[in-house]
């Protein structure tokens, strides 16, 4: 028994061929999107750890080493399974300003392509106690000095 003739012609078997051509592109697109999401998460994890390190290291009496240690702890908690080759440094810090830099490698979802390098650098002023040897001054620059004296 012959199959009925259709106006579109004979197209048996064309669907598997189309899927064989389209599916690899769809899979590559999905893996690329997942890689972008992983890169964004890895970047966020690196910045979060660098910010935590600066927040801890700039406190009064803290050292840059305290900030680096805090950044390493946060990086281990947040990005331990996502980031490899993690390093934290405080190079470039001065006595007035702390700088924490986090370098890492994000995992790759695409076979044969190495992970994307992620870098985050955050800096902030170090809190320290200062005194004004000239006394306090008001907004027009006149010294306030001792409040117990008489008015001019």
């Amino acid at each position: 028994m012959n199959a009925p003739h259709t106006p579109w012609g004979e197209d048996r078997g064309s669907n598997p061929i189309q899927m064989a051509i389209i599916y690899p592109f769809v899979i590559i697109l999905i893996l690329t999107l997942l890689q972008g999401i992983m890169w964004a998460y890895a970047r966020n994890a690196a910045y979060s750890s660098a910010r935590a390190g600066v927040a801890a290291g700039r406190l009064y009496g803290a050292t840059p080493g305290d900030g680096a240690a805090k950044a390493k702890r946060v990086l281990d908690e947040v990005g331990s399974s996502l980031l490899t080759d993690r390093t934290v440094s405080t190079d470039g810090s001065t006595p007035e300003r702390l700088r924490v830099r986090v370098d890492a490698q994000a995992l790759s979802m695409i076979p044969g392509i190495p992970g994307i390098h992620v870098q985050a650098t955050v800096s902030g002023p170090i809190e320290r106690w200062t005194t004004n040897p000239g006394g306090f001054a008001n907004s027009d620059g006149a010294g306030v000095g001792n409040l117990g004296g008489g008015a001019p």
Side-chain angles (χ1 to χ4, degrees):
M1 179 164 170
N2 290 338
H5 181 66
T6 61
W8 305 286
E10 191 67 32
D11 62 353
R12 292 177 70 185
S14 65
N15 194 22
I17 292 173
Q18 290 171 354
M19 291 302 114
I21 293 171
I22 293 173
Y23 276 173
F25 292 112
V26 171
I27 291 171
I28 290 172
L29 177 68
I30 290 170
L31 287 177
T32 304
L33 289 173
L34 287 174
Q35 185 65 50
I37 291 168
M38 286 182 65
W39 171 79
Y41 181 75
R43 187 170 179 259
N44 188 26
Y47 270 106
S48 294
S49 63
R51 279 192 301 269
V54 167
R58 64 185 291 263
L59 296 175
Y60 181 73
T63 64
D66 295 333
K70 176 68 174 181
K72 285 179 187 176
R73 282 194 307 272
V74 171
L75 194 57
D76 288 340
E77 291 172 6
V78 176
S80 63
S81 62
L82 180 64
L83 297 171
T84 60
D85 300 331
R86 301 183 302 261
T87 59
V88 176
S89 67
T90 56
D91 298 341
S93 296
T94 64
E96 294 84 25
R97 196 157 190 84
L98 175 65
R99 180 177 168 225
V100 175
R101 178 178 168 160
V102 174
D103 288 298
Q105 202 76 10
L107 293 179
S108 177
M109 291 290 296
I110 302 171
I113 296 179
I116 300 170
H117 179 74
V118 176
Q119 175 186 343
T121 304
V122 178
S123 66
I126 296 175
E127 294 180 7
R128 57 192 172 108
W129 184 260
T130 60
T131 59
N132 187 355
F136 296 105
N138 60 18
S139 62
D140 61 359
V144 176
N146 187 354
L147 296 177

